[in-house]
Amino acid sequence: MLSRRVRHEPWVIGGRPVVAILAVALCGVAAPLFAQTASPPVSVGAGLQTSFLHDAPDGGESSDRFLLNSVRLYVNGSSADKVKFTFNTEYDGGTNHLTVLDAVARFEVSDRFNVWVGRMLPPSDRANLYGPYYANEWAVYSDGLQDGYPFVATGRDNGVAYWGQFGPVKVQGGAYDGASADGNDKVIAAGRVMVDFWDPEPGYYLNGTYYGDKNILAVGAAGQVQDGNTAWSADLLLERKVAGGGAFTIESEYAAYSQLGGYDAQYEDDKGAYGLASYLFPKMGGLSGQFEVLGKYAQASFSHSIAGLDDYKQRTTELNFDYVLKQFNARVMLFYKHTDFTAVKTDDQQIGVGLQVQM
């Protein structure tokens, strides 16, 4: 946490004790006045994802690469009472490009009334609202389903959103710029409703796991509409604590993108579902971290090609073996992913190890 504070240096008056005493007294009176105008605290953080990847496409040559997947800078602060701001950036090592992720003015009046304006994650599926740094898996957003909503930058779009917490129910809604996200100048309307039946998940953002800090049973539904085109999804997260500090987690989602969003621009319809299960082992011996195993299976179907291509299905299987040193702030993830296509595209296998560090 970085805080800009007014610093009061002592007045030095040599050989004049009366003046020195008066100066000290004036400092004591002036200090509260200066403190009232001091800038509010600003927090600065950073995140890094880097990996080694062995990629073996069917019928093609394999490759081995060291990748700088992502570097992020996070800035948060307050400009006035109940008025806050967020500014986050991301460097994409694959494109060597720096992007503004979030630039949000946040008017947070109460649990039930909050308005955000700027660039942000729109109301959408849980997977978009937790992002790659707070996902439970490594190879997120590669199954043809998760976060297929239209966006201008890494799931974000420019617009305005309302959100509120009503006990166990969280409501989010907003309007977003279509031209930035998908080239259509019609506004995108977005909404999401979620119910937490066990422990609460306060705030706008979500997690893919809580690493045993909470018992979660959450069901959510989201949808977006633009000029008669639609995208919607329903998601589930179930997590139970295990004795000794472990956790068992199940995550699932069904998504349907109809001429709005989706993973393949050559097809009008993209729909399907995935299921994920993980087990975080309790701490063992003198280790400071914990081991976790994870498996995921997804199936997506692509139909109504605008280019006259055959319909096809994508089946994705992912396995992770992780060492979680400090939850999302420090973890090493060994991953395997197999992607199978029934037509059009080439099957592929990947294996690698990813490192994530945040501060």
PDB file of all heavy atoms in Angstrom, residues 91-126:
ATOM      1  N   TYR A  91       0.523  -6.308 -20.138  1.00  0.00           N
ATOM      2  CA  TYR A  91       1.462  -6.522 -21.229  1.00  0.00           C
ATOM      3  C   TYR A  91       1.304  -7.961 -21.695  1.00  0.00           C
ATOM      4  O   TYR A  91       1.437  -8.900 -20.904  1.00  0.00           O
ATOM      5  CB  TYR A  91       2.895  -6.271 -20.773  1.00  0.00           C
ATOM      6  CG  TYR A  91       3.928  -6.684 -21.813  1.00  0.00           C
ATOM      7  CD1 TYR A  91       4.195  -5.878 -22.910  1.00  0.00           C
ATOM      8  CD2 TYR A  91       4.603  -7.891 -21.687  1.00  0.00           C
ATOM      9  CE1 TYR A  91       5.129  -6.256 -23.863  1.00  0.00           C
ATOM     10  CE2 TYR A  91       5.540  -8.280 -22.643  1.00  0.00           C
ATOM     11  CZ  TYR A  91       5.799  -7.468 -23.717  1.00  0.00           C
ATOM     12  OH  TYR A  91       6.708  -7.858 -24.662  1.00  0.00           O
ATOM     13  N   ASP A  92       0.980  -8.153 -22.966  1.00  0.00           N
ATOM     14  CA  ASP A  92       0.807  -9.473 -23.560  1.00  0.00           C
ATOM     15  C   ASP A  92       2.112  -9.854 -24.254  1.00  0.00           C
ATOM     16  O   ASP A  92       2.496  -9.252 -25.257  1.00  0.00           O
ATOM     17  CB  ASP A  92      -0.347  -9.439 -24.570  1.00  0.00           C
ATOM     18  CG  ASP A  92      -0.664 -10.819 -25.155  1.00  0.00           C
ATOM     19  OD1 ASP A  92       0.220 -11.694 -25.143  1.00  0.00           O
ATOM     20  OD2 ASP A  92      -1.796 -11.011 -25.629  1.00  0.00           O
ATOM     21  N   GLY A  93       2.797 -10.873 -23.702  1.00  0.00           N
ATOM     22  CA  GLY A  93       4.065 -11.286 -24.272  1.00  0.00           C
ATOM     23  C   GLY A  93       3.930 -11.886 -25.655  1.00  0.00           C
ATOM     24  O   GLY A  93       4.875 -11.831 -26.453  1.00  0.00           O
ATOM     25  N   GLY A  94       2.758 -12.466 -25.971  1.00  0.00           N
ATOM     26  CA  GLY A  94       2.564 -13.069 -27.281  1.00  0.00           C
ATOM     27  C   GLY A  94       2.520 -12.046 -28.405  1.00  0.00           C
ATOM     28  O   GLY A  94       3.024 -12.279 -29.501  1.00  0.00           O
ATOM     29  N   THR A  95       1.907 -10.891 -28.135  1.00  0.00           N
ATOM     30  CA  THR A  95       1.782  -9.836 -29.148  1.00  0.00           C
ATOM     31  C   THR A  95       2.743  -8.679 -28.913  1.00  0.00           C
ATOM     32  O   THR A  95       2.815  -7.763 -29.727  1.00  0.00           O
ATOM     33  CB  THR A  95       0.349  -9.284 -29.166  1.00  0.00           C
ATOM     34  OG1 THR A  95       0.051  -8.699 -27.881  1.00  0.00           O
ATOM     35  CG2 THR A  95      -0.654 -10.395 -29.449  1.00  0.00           C
ATOM     36  N   ASN A  96       3.458  -8.714 -27.775  1.00  0.00           N
ATOM     37  CA  ASN A  96       4.364  -7.631 -27.394  1.00  0.00           C
ATOM     38  C   ASN A  96       3.616  -6.300 -27.350  1.00  0.00           C
ATOM     39  O   ASN A  96       4.105  -5.268 -27.807  1.00  0.00           O
ATOM     40  CB  ASN A  96       5.552  -7.545 -28.352  1.00  0.00           C
ATOM     41  CG  ASN A  96       6.728  -6.785 -27.746  1.00  0.00           C
ATOM     42  OD1 ASN A  96       6.951  -6.847 -26.542  1.00  0.00           O
ATOM     43  ND2 ASN A  96       7.464  -6.069 -28.572  1.00  0.00           N
ATOM     44  N   HIS A  97       2.402  -6.336 -26.769  1.00  0.00           N
ATOM     45  CA  HIS A  97       1.504  -5.187 -26.799  1.00  0.00           C
ATOM     46  C   HIS A  97       1.029  -4.856 -25.387  1.00  0.00           C
ATOM     47  O   HIS A  97       0.689  -5.745 -24.608  1.00  0.00           O
ATOM     48  CB  HIS A  97       0.303  -5.505 -27.686  1.00  0.00           C
ATOM     49  CG  HIS A  97      -0.633  -4.350 -27.880  1.00  0.00           C
ATOM     50  ND1 HIS A  97      -0.266  -3.182 -28.512  1.00  0.00           N
ATOM     51  CD2 HIS A  97      -1.932  -4.186 -27.514  1.00  0.00           C
ATOM     52  CE1 HIS A  97      -1.289  -2.350 -28.522  1.00  0.00           C
ATOM     53  NE2 HIS A  97      -2.310  -2.929 -27.917  1.00  0.00           N
ATOM     54  N   LEU A  98       1.015  -3.574 -25.056  1.00  0.00           N
ATOM     55  CA  LEU A  98       0.528  -3.096 -23.770  1.00  0.00           C
ATOM     56  C   LEU A  98      -0.901  -2.600 -23.930  1.00  0.00           C
ATOM     57  O   LEU A  98      -1.198  -1.803 -24.823  1.00  0.00           O
ATOM     58  CB  LEU A  98       1.413  -1.965 -23.242  1.00  0.00           C
ATOM     59  CG  LEU A  98       1.048  -1.395 -21.868  1.00  0.00           C
ATOM     60  CD1 LEU A  98       1.235  -2.449 -20.786  1.00  0.00           C
ATOM     61  CD2 LEU A  98       1.904  -0.164 -21.564  1.00  0.00           C
ATOM     62  N   THR A  99      -1.803  -3.075 -23.054  1.00  0.00           N
ATOM     63  CA  THR A  99      -3.227  -2.778 -23.169  1.00  0.00           C
ATOM     64  C   THR A  99      -3.755  -2.186 -21.871  1.00  0.00           C
ATOM     65  O   THR A  99      -3.343  -2.591 -20.783  1.00  0.00           O
ATOM     66  CB  THR A  99      -4.023  -4.058 -23.474  1.00  0.00           C
ATOM     67  OG1 THR A  99      -3.526  -4.646 -24.669  1.00  0.00           O
ATOM     68  CG2 THR A  99      -5.504  -3.767 -23.644  1.00  0.00           C
ATOM     69  N   VAL A 100      -4.670  -1.222 -21.995  1.00  0.00           N
ATOM     70  CA  VAL A 100      -5.436  -0.757 -20.835  1.00  0.00           C
ATOM     71  C   VAL A 100      -6.522  -1.781 -20.557  1.00  0.00           C
ATOM     72  O   VAL A 100      -7.426  -1.975 -21.371  1.00  0.00           O
ATOM     73  CB  VAL A 100      -6.058   0.627 -21.089  1.00  0.00           C
ATOM     74  CG1 VAL A 100      -6.959   1.017 -19.917  1.00  0.00           C
ATOM     75  CG2 VAL A 100      -4.967   1.671 -21.282  1.00  0.00           C
ATOM     76  N   LEU A 101      -6.420  -2.467 -19.424  1.00  0.00           N
ATOM     77  CA  LEU A 101      -7.448  -3.431 -19.044  1.00  0.00           C
ATOM     78  C   LEU A 101      -8.672  -2.727 -18.474  1.00  0.00           C
ATOM     79  O   LEU A 101      -9.767  -2.814 -19.002  1.00  0.00           O
ATOM     80  CB  LEU A 101      -6.887  -4.407 -17.993  1.00  0.00           C
ATOM     81  CG  LEU A 101      -5.985  -5.536 -18.454  1.00  0.00           C
ATOM     82  CD1 LEU A 101      -5.585  -6.370 -17.245  1.00  0.00           C
ATOM     83  CD2 LEU A 101      -6.674  -6.402 -19.490  1.00  0.00           C
ATOM     84  N   ASP A 102      -8.466  -2.077 -17.344  1.00  0.00           N
ATOM     85  CA  ASP A 102      -9.561  -1.415 -16.638  1.00  0.00           C
ATOM     86  C   ASP A 102      -9.224   0.055 -16.427  1.00  0.00           C
ATOM     87  O   ASP A 102      -8.089   0.396 -16.070  1.00  0.00           O
ATOM     88  CB  ASP A 102      -9.792  -2.072 -15.268  1.00  0.00           C
ATOM     89  CG  ASP A 102     -10.032  -3.561 -15.377  1.00  0.00           C
ATOM     90  OD1 ASP A 102     -11.144  -3.954 -15.740  1.00  0.00           O
ATOM     91  OD2 ASP A 102      -9.085  -4.329 -15.101  1.00  0.00           O
ATOM     92  N   ALA A 103     -10.204   0.905 -16.627  1.00  0.00           N
ATOM     93  CA  ALA A 103     -10.099   2.323 -16.299  1.00  0.00           C
ATOM     94  C   ALA A 103     -11.486   2.726 -15.832  1.00  0.00           C
ATOM     95  O   ALA A 103     -12.354   3.067 -16.639  1.00  0.00           O
ATOM     96  CB  ALA A 103      -9.650   3.141 -17.499  1.00  0.00           C
ATOM     97  N   VAL A 104     -11.720   2.642 -14.522  1.00  0.00           N
ATOM     98  CA  VAL A 104     -13.077   2.705 -13.979  1.00  0.00           C
ATOM     99  C   VAL A 104     -13.199   3.770 -12.901  1.00  0.00           C
ATOM    100  O   VAL A 104     -12.411   3.804 -11.951  1.00  0.00           O
ATOM    101  CB  VAL A 104     -13.503   1.345 -13.371  1.00  0.00           C
ATOM    102  CG1 VAL A 104     -15.001   1.346 -13.091  1.00  0.00           C
ATOM    103  CG2 VAL A 104     -13.128   0.189 -14.289  1.00  0.00           C
ATOM    104  N   ALA A 105     -14.200   4.629 -13.042  1.00  0.00           N
ATOM    105  CA  ALA A 105     -14.643   5.494 -11.955  1.00  0.00           C
ATOM    106  C   ALA A 105     -15.745   4.747 -11.214  1.00  0.00           C
ATOM    107  O   ALA A 105     -16.745   4.356 -11.814  1.00  0.00           O
ATOM    108  CB  ALA A 105     -15.165   6.810 -12.500  1.00  0.00           C
ATOM    109  N   ARG A 106     -15.539   4.534  -9.913  1.00  0.00           N
ATOM    110  CA  ARG A 106     -16.445   3.682  -9.116  1.00  0.00           C
ATOM    111  C   ARG A 106     -17.172   4.525  -8.069  1.00  0.00           C
ATOM    112  O   ARG A 106     -16.552   5.042  -7.148  1.00  0.00           O
ATOM    113  CB  ARG A 106     -15.650   2.569  -8.455  1.00  0.00           C
ATOM    114  CG  ARG A 106     -14.971   1.644  -9.441  1.00  0.00           C
ATOM    115  CD  ARG A 106     -13.754   0.929  -8.866  1.00  0.00           C
ATOM    116  NE  ARG A 106     -13.957   0.499  -7.496  1.00  0.00           N
ATOM    117  CZ  ARG A 106     -12.954   0.298  -6.642  1.00  0.00           C
ATOM    118  NH1 ARG A 106     -11.701   0.517  -7.023  1.00  0.00           N
ATOM    119  NH2 ARG A 106     -13.198  -0.117  -5.413  1.00  0.00           N
ATOM    120  N   PHE A 107     -18.476   4.633  -8.229  1.00  0.00           N
ATOM    121  CA  PHE A 107     -19.310   5.342  -7.264  1.00  0.00           C
ATOM    122  C   PHE A 107     -19.990   4.283  -6.393  1.00  0.00           C
ATOM    123  O   PHE A 107     -20.990   3.677  -6.799  1.00  0.00           O
ATOM    124  CB  PHE A 107     -20.332   6.219  -7.991  1.00  0.00           C
ATOM    125  CG  PHE A 107     -19.701   7.219  -8.921  1.00  0.00           C
ATOM    126  CD1 PHE A 107     -19.454   6.898 -10.251  1.00  0.00           C
ATOM    127  CD2 PHE A 107     -19.342   8.476  -8.458  1.00  0.00           C
ATOM    128  CE1 PHE A 107     -18.860   7.813 -11.111  1.00  0.00           C
ATOM    129  CE2 PHE A 107     -18.747   9.404  -9.311  1.00  0.00           C
ATOM    130  CZ  PHE A 107     -18.505   9.068 -10.639  1.00  0.00           C
ATOM    131  N   GLU A 108     -19.431   4.057  -5.215  1.00  0.00           N
ATOM    132  CA  GLU A 108     -19.869   2.952  -4.359  1.00  0.00           C
ATOM    133  C   GLU A 108     -20.545   3.528  -3.121  1.00  0.00           C
ATOM    134  O   GLU A 108     -19.906   3.854  -2.126  1.00  0.00           O
ATOM    135  CB  GLU A 108     -18.670   2.065  -4.026  1.00  0.00           C
ATOM    136  CG  GLU A 108     -18.045   1.477  -5.298  1.00  0.00           C
ATOM    137  CD  GLU A 108     -16.862   0.562  -5.045  1.00  0.00           C
ATOM    138  OE1 GLU A 108     -16.365   0.527  -3.895  1.00  0.00           O
ATOM    139  OE2 GLU A 108     -16.440  -0.136  -5.996  1.00  0.00           O
ATOM    140  N   VAL A 109     -21.870   3.644  -3.219  1.00  0.00           N
ATOM    141  CA  VAL A 109     -22.660   4.303  -2.185  1.00  0.00           C
ATOM    142  C   VAL A 109     -22.983   3.354  -1.044  1.00  0.00           C
ATOM    143  O   VAL A 109     -22.897   3.703   0.132  1.00  0.00           O
ATOM    144  CB  VAL A 109     -23.957   4.878  -2.803  1.00  0.00           C
ATOM    145  CG1 VAL A 109     -24.805   5.543  -1.727  1.00  0.00           C
ATOM    146  CG2 VAL A 109     -23.613   5.872  -3.912  1.00  0.00           C
ATOM    147  N   SER A 110     -23.372   2.112  -1.376  1.00  0.00           N
ATOM    148  CA  SER A 110     -23.746   1.131  -0.364  1.00  0.00           C
ATOM    149  C   SER A 110     -23.648  -0.252  -0.987  1.00  0.00           C
ATOM    150  O   SER A 110     -23.362  -0.398  -2.179  1.00  0.00           O
ATOM    151  CB  SER A 110     -25.173   1.387   0.137  1.00  0.00           C
ATOM    152  OG  SER A 110     -26.117   1.149  -0.898  1.00  0.00           O
ATOM    153  N   ASP A 111     -23.913  -1.276  -0.174  1.00  0.00           N
ATOM    154  CA  ASP A 111     -23.915  -2.640  -0.712  1.00  0.00           C
ATOM    155  C   ASP A 111     -24.914  -2.779  -1.854  1.00  0.00           C
ATOM    156  O   ASP A 111     -24.669  -3.505  -2.822  1.00  0.00           O
ATOM    157  CB  ASP A 111     -24.274  -3.646   0.384  1.00  0.00           C
ATOM    158  CG  ASP A 111     -23.151  -3.812   1.403  1.00  0.00           C
ATOM    159  OD1 ASP A 111     -22.015  -3.376   1.111  1.00  0.00           O
ATOM    160  OD2 ASP A 111     -23.407  -4.358   2.486  1.00  0.00           O
ATOM    161  N   ARG A 112     -26.025  -2.053  -1.760  1.00  0.00           N
ATOM    162  CA  ARG A 112     -27.097  -2.216  -2.746  1.00  0.00           C
ATOM    163  C   ARG A 112     -27.013  -1.265  -3.929  1.00  0.00           C
ATOM    164  O   ARG A 112     -27.734  -1.456  -4.914  1.00  0.00           O
ATOM    165  CB  ARG A 112     -28.457  -2.038  -2.049  1.00  0.00           C
ATOM    166  CG  ARG A 112     -28.730  -3.086  -0.992  1.00  0.00           C
ATOM    167  CD  ARG A 112     -30.126  -2.947  -0.443  1.00  0.00           C
ATOM    168  NE  ARG A 112     -30.437  -4.009   0.509  1.00  0.00           N
ATOM    169  CZ  ARG A 112     -31.634  -4.228   1.034  1.00  0.00           C
ATOM    170  NH1 ARG A 112     -32.646  -3.430   0.695  1.00  0.00           N
ATOM    171  NH2 ARG A 112     -31.828  -5.215   1.883  1.00  0.00           N
ATOM    172  N   PHE A 113     -26.163  -0.253  -3.844  1.00  0.00           N
ATOM    173  CA  PHE A 113     -26.121   0.727  -4.937  1.00  0.00           C
ATOM    174  C   PHE A 113     -24.688   1.102  -5.262  1.00  0.00           C
ATOM    175  O   PHE A 113     -24.018   1.804  -4.501  1.00  0.00           O
ATOM    176  CB  PHE A 113     -26.929   1.974  -4.588  1.00  0.00           C
ATOM    177  CG  PHE A 113     -27.087   2.911  -5.756  1.00  0.00           C
ATOM    178  CD1 PHE A 113     -28.070   2.688  -6.707  1.00  0.00           C
ATOM    179  CD2 PHE A 113     -26.229   3.996  -5.918  1.00  0.00           C
ATOM    180  CE1 PHE A 113     -28.211   3.541  -7.802  1.00  0.00           C
ATOM    181  CE2 PHE A 113     -26.358   4.856  -7.004  1.00  0.00           C
ATOM    182  CZ  PHE A 113     -27.352   4.618  -7.944  1.00  0.00           C
ATOM    183  N   ASN A 114     -24.222   0.635  -6.418  1.00  0.00           N
ATOM    184  CA  ASN A 114     -22.885   0.942  -6.913  1.00  0.00           C
ATOM    185  C   ASN A 114     -22.965   1.170  -8.418  1.00  0.00           C
ATOM    186  O   ASN A 114     -23.623   0.399  -9.128  1.00  0.00           O
ATOM    187  CB  ASN A 114     -21.921  -0.209  -6.633  1.00  0.00           C
ATOM    188  CG  ASN A 114     -21.861  -0.564  -5.158  1.00  0.00           C
ATOM    189  OD1 ASN A 114     -21.113   0.011  -4.396  1.00  0.00           O
ATOM    190  ND2 ASN A 114     -22.686  -1.541  -4.751  1.00  0.00           N
ATOM    191  N   VAL A 115     -22.300   2.206  -8.901  1.00  0.00           N
ATOM    192  CA  VAL A 115     -22.267   2.504 -10.334  1.00  0.00           C
ATOM    193  C   VAL A 115     -20.820   2.638 -10.765  1.00  0.00           C
ATOM    194  O   VAL A 115     -20.047   3.401 -10.166  1.00  0.00           O
ATOM    195  CB  VAL A 115     -23.043   3.796 -10.661  1.00  0.00           C
ATOM    196  CG1 VAL A 115     -22.889   4.142 -12.140  1.00  0.00           C
ATOM    197  CG2 VAL A 115     -24.525   3.634 -10.309  1.00  0.00           C
ATOM    198  N   TRP A 116     -20.446   1.901 -11.806  1.00  0.00           N
ATOM    199  CA  TRP A 116     -19.104   1.968 -12.383  1.00  0.00           C
ATOM    200  C   TRP A 116     -19.198   2.521 -13.798  1.00  0.00           C
ATOM    201  O   TRP A 116     -20.099   2.150 -14.564  1.00  0.00           O
ATOM    202  CB  TRP A 116     -18.465   0.587 -12.420  1.00  0.00           C
ATOM    203  CG  TRP A 116     -18.056   0.044 -11.072  1.00  0.00           C
ATOM    204  CD1 TRP A 116     -18.396   0.525  -9.851  1.00  0.00           C
ATOM    205  CD2 TRP A 116     -17.203  -1.082 -10.832  1.00  0.00           C
ATOM    206  NE1 TRP A 116     -17.827  -0.232  -8.853  1.00  0.00           N
ATOM    207  CE2 TRP A 116     -17.090  -1.231  -9.426  1.00  0.00           C
ATOM    208  CE3 TRP A 116     -16.539  -1.980 -11.666  1.00  0.00           C
ATOM    209  CZ2 TRP A 116     -16.329  -2.247  -8.853  1.00  0.00           C
ATOM    210  CZ3 TRP A 116     -15.783  -2.989 -11.091  1.00  0.00           C
ATOM    211  CH2 TRP A 116     -15.678  -3.114  -9.696  1.00  0.00           C
ATOM    212  N   VAL A 117     -18.246   3.398 -14.156  1.00  0.00           N
ATOM    213  CA  VAL A 117     -18.229   4.007 -15.485  1.00  0.00           C
ATOM    214  C   VAL A 117     -16.818   3.922 -16.052  1.00  0.00           C
ATOM    215  O   VAL A 117     -15.845   4.230 -15.350  1.00  0.00           O
ATOM    216  CB  VAL A 117     -18.679   5.486 -15.429  1.00  0.00           C
ATOM    217  CG1 VAL A 117     -18.691   6.103 -16.828  1.00  0.00           C
ATOM    218  CG2 VAL A 117     -20.051   5.613 -14.770  1.00  0.00           C
ATOM    219  N   GLY A 118     -16.685   3.503 -17.307  1.00  0.00           N
ATOM    220  CA  GLY A 118     -15.381   3.430 -17.951  1.00  0.00           C
ATOM    221  C   GLY A 118     -15.193   2.106 -18.667  1.00  0.00           C
ATOM    222  O   GLY A 118     -16.124   1.593 -19.290  1.00  0.00           O
ATOM    223  N   ARG A 119     -13.989   1.547 -18.578  1.00  0.00           N
ATOM    224  CA  ARG A 119     -13.705   0.223 -19.160  1.00  0.00           C
ATOM    225  C   ARG A 119     -13.603  -0.793 -18.040  1.00  0.00           C
ATOM    226  O   ARG A 119     -12.843  -0.594 -17.087  1.00  0.00           O
ATOM    227  CB  ARG A 119     -12.405   0.238 -19.972  1.00  0.00           C
ATOM    228  CG  ARG A 119     -12.027  -1.140 -20.516  1.00  0.00           C
ATOM    229  CD  ARG A 119     -10.805  -1.094 -21.410  1.00  0.00           C
ATOM    230  NE  ARG A 119     -11.094  -0.362 -22.632  1.00  0.00           N
ATOM    231  CZ  ARG A 119     -10.198  -0.209 -23.625  1.00  0.00           C
ATOM    232  NH1 ARG A 119      -8.976  -0.718 -23.499  1.00  0.00           N
ATOM    233  NH2 ARG A 119     -10.540   0.463 -24.707  1.00  0.00           N
ATOM    234  N   MET A 120     -14.339  -1.901 -18.191  1.00  0.00           N
ATOM    235  CA  MET A 120     -14.426  -2.890 -17.107  1.00  0.00           C
ATOM    236  C   MET A 120     -14.886  -4.226 -17.671  1.00  0.00           C
ATOM    237  O   MET A 120     -15.216  -4.343 -18.847  1.00  0.00           O
ATOM    238  CB  MET A 120     -15.427  -2.411 -16.053  1.00  0.00           C
ATOM    239  CG  MET A 120     -16.869  -2.483 -16.538  1.00  0.00           C
ATOM    240  SD  MET A 120     -18.030  -1.443 -15.663  1.00  0.00           S
ATOM    241  CE  MET A 120     -17.736   0.134 -16.456  1.00  0.00           C
ATOM    242  N   LEU A 121     -14.945  -5.236 -16.809  1.00  0.00           N
ATOM    243  CA  LEU A 121     -15.563  -6.504 -17.155  1.00  0.00           C
ATOM    244  C   LEU A 121     -17.078  -6.334 -17.102  1.00  0.00           C
ATOM    245  O   LEU A 121     -17.626  -6.027 -16.042  1.00  0.00           O
ATOM    246  CB  LEU A 121     -15.143  -7.595 -16.166  1.00  0.00           C
ATOM    247  CG  LEU A 121     -13.668  -8.007 -16.184  1.00  0.00           C
ATOM    248  CD1 LEU A 121     -13.360  -8.885 -14.971  1.00  0.00           C
ATOM    249  CD2 LEU A 121     -13.339  -8.751 -17.463  1.00  0.00           C
ATOM    250  N   PRO A 122     -17.798  -6.517 -18.206  1.00  0.00           N
ATOM    251  CA  PRO A 122     -19.257  -6.408 -18.161  1.00  0.00           C
ATOM    252  C   PRO A 122     -19.866  -7.578 -17.396  1.00  0.00           C
ATOM    253  O   PRO A 122     -19.217  -8.615 -17.203  1.00  0.00           O
ATOM    254  CB  PRO A 122     -19.665  -6.474 -19.646  1.00  0.00           C
ATOM    255  CG  PRO A 122     -18.416  -6.236 -20.420  1.00  0.00           C
ATOM    256  CD  PRO A 122     -17.306  -6.752 -19.572  1.00  0.00           C
ATOM    257  N   PRO A 123     -21.111  -7.452 -16.959  1.00  0.00           N
ATOM    258  CA  PRO A 123     -21.817  -8.609 -16.406  1.00  0.00           C
ATOM    259  C   PRO A 123     -21.791  -9.760 -17.409  1.00  0.00           C
ATOM    260  O   PRO A 123     -22.182  -9.590 -18.570  1.00  0.00           O
ATOM    261  CB  PRO A 123     -23.229  -8.075 -16.185  1.00  0.00           C
ATOM    262  CG  PRO A 123     -23.054  -6.598 -16.007  1.00  0.00           C
ATOM    263  CD  PRO A 123     -21.928  -6.232 -16.924  1.00  0.00           C
ATOM    264  N   SER A 124     -21.315 -10.905 -16.999  1.00  0.00           N
ATOM    265  CA  SER A 124     -21.086 -12.032 -17.902  1.00  0.00           C
ATOM    266  C   SER A 124     -20.938 -13.293 -17.072  1.00  0.00           C
ATOM    267  O   SER A 124     -21.392 -13.336 -15.929  1.00  0.00           O
ATOM    268  CB  SER A 124     -19.846 -11.775 -18.773  1.00  0.00           C
ATOM    269  OG  SER A 124     -18.770 -11.268 -18.006  1.00  0.00           O
ATOM    270  N   ASP A 125     -20.295 -14.326 -17.595  1.00  0.00           N
ATOM    271  CA  ASP A 125     -20.156 -15.569 -16.843  1.00  0.00           C
ATOM    272  C   ASP A 125     -19.101 -15.429 -15.750  1.00  0.00           C
ATOM    273  O   ASP A 125     -18.281 -14.513 -15.746  1.00  0.00           O
ATOM    274  CB  ASP A 125     -19.829 -16.733 -17.776  1.00  0.00           C
ATOM    275  CG  ASP A 125     -18.583 -16.491 -18.620  1.00  0.00           C
ATOM    276  OD1 ASP A 125     -18.081 -15.355 -18.645  1.00  0.00           O
ATOM    277  OD2 ASP A 125     -18.121 -17.453 -19.257  1.00  0.00           O
ATOM    278  N   ARG A 126     -19.145 -16.371 -14.799  1.00  0.00           N
ATOM    279  CA  ARG A 126     -18.182 -16.356 -13.700  1.00  0.00           C
ATOM    280  C   ARG A 126     -16.747 -16.353 -14.226  1.00  0.00           C
ATOM    281  O   ARG A 126     -15.877 -15.669 -13.686  1.00  0.00           O
ATOM    282  CB  ARG A 126     -18.403 -17.558 -12.776  1.00  0.00           C
ATOM    283  CG  ARG A 126     -17.356 -17.694 -11.673  1.00  0.00           C
ATOM    284  CD  ARG A 126     -17.606 -18.886 -10.786  1.00  0.00           C
ATOM    285  NE  ARG A 126     -18.698 -18.636  -9.863  1.00  0.00           N
ATOM    286  CZ  ARG A 126     -18.557 -18.113  -8.648  1.00  0.00           C
ATOM    287  NH1 ARG A 126     -17.357 -17.773  -8.218  1.00  0.00           N
ATOM    288  NH2 ARG A 126     -19.604 -17.926  -7.870  1.00  0.00           N
TER     289      ARG A 126
END
